[in-house]
């Protein structure tokens, strides 16, 4: 390859003297795909300045309101995208659950009566929901966004609250993942800790986001979180029952 050709971006054709294209952001030195390049790109996507996962997590822990306001106001490149963040944390949850052999059925708070066809269907629905809880979290994203919009309707649009919910529930997934270790190695009594910590974190995130009338924000946040969680649970369980009933004929 000539030196002149190496200064032209293969993605968009822009000429540049730098390592990255000023037009589309792709590296100018693009060669044949290798294993090292593929996994290097994966690591870069997780931890680089272009998609700073660790920075995003740190900001969501320390000052979630700053991150959410910045993202909604257009500062997108410095943070991990909300949907990608949610999917990545869900993927980590599934991987870690498999590695440590965590049983999602242990000490389940969902109890149904056995001994009848209906009871069997309810049990199967419970089992289906617990096994696919990561998929049903998408329902939680939308119930949380809808109730937040209803109680804070003047602040942001529904689409913006959905983006906020993806970030917040990505943190919820991280909390549940950490709590798995406590449940697995300390005991089942730690199981409610995940949702309790998430309840507290959500109120903290909303106070950090709105930064005024804290009593009103705390009250609204507590109410909407409980409504969103109950709605998510009922919709997930009902959908699981319909799926199981359909499969059973």
């Amino acid at each position: 390859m000539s030196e002149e050709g190496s200064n032209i971006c293969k993605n968009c054709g822009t000429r540049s003297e730098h390592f990255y294209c000023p037009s589309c952001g792709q590296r100018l030195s693009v060669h044949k795909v290798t294993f090292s390049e593929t996994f290097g790109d994966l690591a870069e996507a997780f931890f680089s300045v272009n998609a700073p996962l660790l920075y995003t997590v740190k900001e969501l822990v320390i000052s979630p309101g700053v991150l959410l306001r910045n993202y909604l106001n257009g500062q997108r490149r410095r943070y991990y995208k909300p949907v990608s963040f949610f999917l990545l944390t869900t993927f980590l949850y599934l991987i870690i659950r498999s590695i440590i052999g965590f049983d999602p059925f242990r000490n389940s708070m969902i109890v149904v009566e056995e001994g009848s066809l209906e009871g069997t269907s309810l049990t199967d629905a419970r089992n289906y929901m617990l096994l696919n809880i990561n998929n049903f979290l998408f329902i939680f994203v939308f119930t949380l966004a809808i109730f937040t919009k209803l109680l804070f309707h003047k602040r942001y649009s529904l689409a913006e609250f959905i983006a906020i919910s993806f970030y917040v529930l990505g943190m919820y997934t991280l909390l549940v993942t950490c709590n798995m270790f406590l449940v697995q190695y300390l005991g089942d009594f730690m199981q409610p800790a995940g949702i309790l910590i998430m309840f507290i974190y959500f109120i903290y995130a909303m106070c950090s986001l709105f930064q005024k009338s804290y009593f009103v924000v705390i009250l609204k946040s507590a109410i909407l979180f409980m409504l969103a969680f109950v709605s998510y649970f009922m919709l997930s369980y009902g959908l699981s029952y319909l799926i199981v009933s359909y499969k059973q004929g």
Side-chain angles (χ1 to χ4, degrees), residues 93 96-97 100 102 133 137 169-183 191 193-195 197-198:
Y93 162 78
I96 294 175
R97 189 178 80 176
I100 68 175
F102 182 80
I133 196 67
L137 272 178
L169 289 177
M171 286 300 298
Y172 169 66
T173 307
L174 286 180
L175 291 172
V176 169
T177 302
C178 295
N179 193 55
M180 269 197 307
F181 288 96
L182 299 180
V183 176
Q191 199 157 13
I195 189 64
I197 295 174
M198 177 57 197

Side-chain angles (χ1 to χ4, degrees), residues 111-162:
V111 180
V112 295
E113 294 293 332
E114 301 286 355
S116 66
L117 180 59
E118 183 180 3
T120 302
S121 298
L122 292 175
T123 303
D124 292 339
R126 178 203 63 179
N127 295 344
Y128 183 89
M129 185 179 74
L130 292 175
L131 281 174
N132 297 277
I133 196 67
N134 52 296
N135 297 323
F136 288 118
L137 272 178
F138 277 101
I139 297 177
F140 200 4
V141 169
F142 290 99
T143 59
L144 191 64
I146 290 170
F147 281 106
T148 306
K149 175 62 178 175
L150 289 175
L151 272 72
F152 295 100
H153 62 279
K154 295 181 180 179
R155 304 303 179 97
Y156 299 105
S157 68
L158 179 59
E160 289 173 319
F161 279 124
I162 289 175

Side-chain angles (χ1 to χ4, degrees), residues 192-208:
I195 189 64
L196 177 61
I197 295 174
M198 177 57 197
F199 176 72
I200 297 172
Y201 174 78
F202 178 75
I203 294 176
Y204 161 66
M206 292 298 100
C207 290
S208 177

